[in-house]
């Protein structure tokens, strides 16, 4: 969702191109994203409260979830409210 309107972007790349072009391109080394596995693991394990808070649709690839999900460490639905309290 746009930071400035109710526009919904189809994907992250379109959102970044439109609203945060200074963040692109992501840093790469030998055509691979730097810290790619760390970013995927972080997203997989913190996405639940963020999806809920920002009314996002979860399009996380199943292979990321299979590879990186850590049920004993991932944030629960109320994690943002707990952090803000």
């Amino acid at each position: 969702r746009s930071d400035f309107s109710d526009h919904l972007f189809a994907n992250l790349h379109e959102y970044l191109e439109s609203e945060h072009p200074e963040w692109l391109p992501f840093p790469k080394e030998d055509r691979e994203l730097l810290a790619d596995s760390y970013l995927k693991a972080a997203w997989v394990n913190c996405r639940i409260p963020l999806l809920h808070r920002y009314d996002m649709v979860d399009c996380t690839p199943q292979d990321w979830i299979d590879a990186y999900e850590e049920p004993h460490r991932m944030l629960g639905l109320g994690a943002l409210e707990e952090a803000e309290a």
Side-chain angles (χ1 to χ4, degrees):
R1 182 179 308 254
S2 172
D3 294 338
F4 310 106
S5 72
D6 287 334
H7 179 73
L8 294 176
F9 291 95
N11 57 53
L12 176 62
H13 190 76
E14 286 183 17
Y15 166 76
L16 293 176
E17 280 183 332
S18 176
E19 306 214 357
H20 299 285
E22 69 279 7
W23 295 359
L24 295 171
F26 291 129
K28 294 183 178 186
E29 184 175 283
D30 296 327
R31 296 187 315 214
E32 294 292 323
L33 285 175
L34 292 177
D36 185 60
S37 62
Y38 292 106
L39 295 171
K40 288 176 182 177
W43 172 251
V44 165
N45 290 293
C46 73
R47 75 187 194 285
I48 300 300
L50 295 171
L51 293 167
H52 179 72
R53 166 70 61 89
Y54 297 105
D55 194 28
M56 298 163 59
V57 175
D58 191 358
C59 297
T60 308
Q62 187 61 46
D63 61 320
W64 291 18
I65 296 169
D66 295 342
Y68 302 108
E69 188 173 75
E70 299 178 65
H72 62 286
R73 294 182 62 195
M74 63 189 299
L75 298 179
L77 187 60
L80 294 177
E81 288 77 15
E82 290 174 24
E84 292 171 338

